[in-house]
């Protein structure tokens, strides 16, 4: 089995890259794909860049060019649920593109017209495995399994948090997960998104982000490694 692993930023992939045994690096359209093994599992690792389009391109390439069997997304996010703190873990059940807005035609926010489904569901086995590994490492109280919201927007205000919580009941918000999920639904590949909380999406979010991104990325990496061991 070949696993595709995606992170948006350097901070989110560097540690996995440092510990993997690299066999081959390929470059497509400026994205670098690192093929090799990690904990004796075959992986392709890619830093996709920030935002939904970058993440969609890299997910598509992982599936079509590298023939990965499953996709894991690792990274950081802003917490929306007030019970979630910096350093906690969110594992995706389903994901929504929260900035998709065709409400002018009567669609609900986040609904993509002419698509059967705009709430992209992660794979149940991968969710269970991520939850088990995360709970073993961080304890039950710090692990949340629920909806993740993605949009091309760094959320840093209480108004936006309230709107996102009320509209979608999301646990956390970020900028890539739902587009990875969208691609995986279309191309029929199992996936899960694992996010560690770097900030609380409020007016301190940018400062917290800079301070905690490394810690949060390390947490996500611990879960990916635990999952690889079990897969
Ligand atoms: N400081 C960075 C920009 C980070 S954008 C730079 O200058 O390059 C934020 C990244 O972290 C995105 O990849 C997104 O998925 C995630 N993220 C963390 N907190 C977020 C928040 N509050 N809102 C949206 N995305 C967030």
């Amino acid at each position: 089995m070949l696993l595709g692993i995606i992170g948006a930023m350097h901070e989110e992939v560097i540690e996995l890259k440092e510990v993997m045994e690299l066999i081959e690096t390929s470059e497509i359209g400026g994205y670098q794909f690192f093929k090799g093994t990690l904990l004796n599992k075959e992986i392709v690792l890619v830093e996709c860049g920030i935002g939904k389009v970058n993440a969609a391109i890299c997910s598509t390439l992982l599936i079509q060019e590298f023939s990965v069997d499953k996709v894991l997304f690792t990274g950081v996010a802003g917490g929306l649920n007030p019970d979630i703190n910096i350093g906690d873990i969110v594992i995706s059940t389903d994901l929504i593109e929260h900035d998709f807005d065709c409400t002018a035609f009567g669609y609900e926010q986040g609904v993509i017209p002419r698509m059967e489904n705009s709430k992209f569901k992660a794979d149940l086995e991968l969710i269970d495995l991520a939850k088990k590994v995360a709970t073993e490492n961080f304890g039950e109280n710090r692990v949340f399994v629920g909806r993740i919201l993605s949009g091309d927007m760094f959320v840093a205000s209480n108004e936006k948090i309230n709107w996102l919580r009320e509209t979608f009941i999301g646990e956390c918000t970020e900028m890539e997960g739902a587009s990875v999920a969208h691609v995986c639904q279309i191309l029929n590949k199992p996936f899960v998104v694992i996010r560690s909380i770097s900030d609380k999406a409020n007016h301190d979010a940018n400062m917290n982000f800079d301070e905690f991104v490394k810690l949060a990325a390390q947490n996500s990496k611990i879960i990916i490694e635990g999952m690889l061991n079990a897969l």
Side-chain angles (χ1 to χ4, degrees):
M1 194 197 5
L2 182 59
L3 282 166
I5 304 176
I6 314 180
M9 296 174 297
H10 182 70
E11 295 90 322
E12 293 165 319
V13 297
I14 182 66
E15 290 184 46
L16 288 171
K17 187 171 169 237
E18 275 169 358
V19 290
M20 75 182 280
E21 280 180 45
L22 187 63
I23 295 170
E24 185 175 52
T25 303
S26 341
E27 195 170 311
I28 307 175
Y31 303 98
Q32 285 193 316
F33 294 83
F34 306 109
K35 190 165 184 186
T37 57
L38 180 56
L39 301 167
N40 293 321
K41 302 285 165 11
E42 284 188 73
I43 65 162
V44 183
L45 175 70
V46 60
E47 176 187 328
C48 71
I50 293 168
K52 294 200 272 82
V53 174
N54 280 321
I57 292 170
C58 285
S59 312
T60 308
L61 289 171
L62 276 178
I63 295 167
Q64 292 297 103
E65 293 288 321
F66 295 90
S67 304
V68 302
D69 300 298
K70 297 177 190 220
V71 177
L72 307 180
F73 190 100
T74 170
V76 303
L80 295 174
N81 177 343
D83 295 337
I84 298 183
N85 290 308
I86 290 172
D88 290 353
I89 309 296
V90 179
I91 295 157
S92 64
T93 47
D94 61 353
L95 301 97
I96 296 177
E97 294 171 40
H98 71 71
D99 54 351
F100 214 107
D101 184 350
C102 278
T103 52
F105 293 100
Y107 294 98
E108 281 176 31
Q109 180 76 23
V111 167
I112 304 173
R114 306 184 189 209
M115 269 190 81
E116 233 168 73
N117 172 41
S118 316
K119 292 175 183 156
F120 306 107
K121 282 194 173 57
D123 179 69
L124 291 178
E125 279 177 25
L126 290 175
I127 296 172
D128 282 350
L129 179 57
K131 185 180 173 192
K132 183 169 166 280
V133 172
T135 307
E136 280 165 9
N137 281 282
F138 299 101
E140 224 171 281
N141 295 342
R142 292 184 54 199
V143 179
F144 296 77
V145 180
R147 177 170 290 162
I148 296 181
L149 310 178
S150 312
D152 288 325
M153 166 193 312
F154 185 80
V155 177
S157 82
N158 287 332
E159 293 70 33
K160 198 75 195 179
I161 295 173
N162 292 340
W163 179 79
L164 287 169
R165 277 293 281 175
E166 277 162 24
T167 312
F168 303 106
I169 325 169
E171 301 296 329
C172 68
T173 188
E174 37 87 312
M175 302 176 68
E176 297 85 18
S179 64
V180 174
H182 186 151
V183 168
C184 288
Q185 175 179 289
I186 299 278
L187 297 177
N188 208 15
K189 291 290 169 198
F191 74 91
V192 71
V193 176
I194 298 144
R195 292 280 184 177
S196 178
I197 300 304
S198 55
D199 58 83
K200 298 196 77 175
N202 55 20
H203 56 278
D204 297 326
N206 55 341
M207 274 161 15
N208 292 153
F209 177 90
D210 289 338
E211 189 177 346
F212 293 113
V213 63
K214 195 148 190 251
L215 168 88
Q218 278 164 354
N219 290 351
S220 295
K221 176 209 162 214
I222 290 169
I223 301 170
I224 295 281
E225 285 186 326
M227 291 177 75
L228 285 178
N229 262 328
L231 274 166

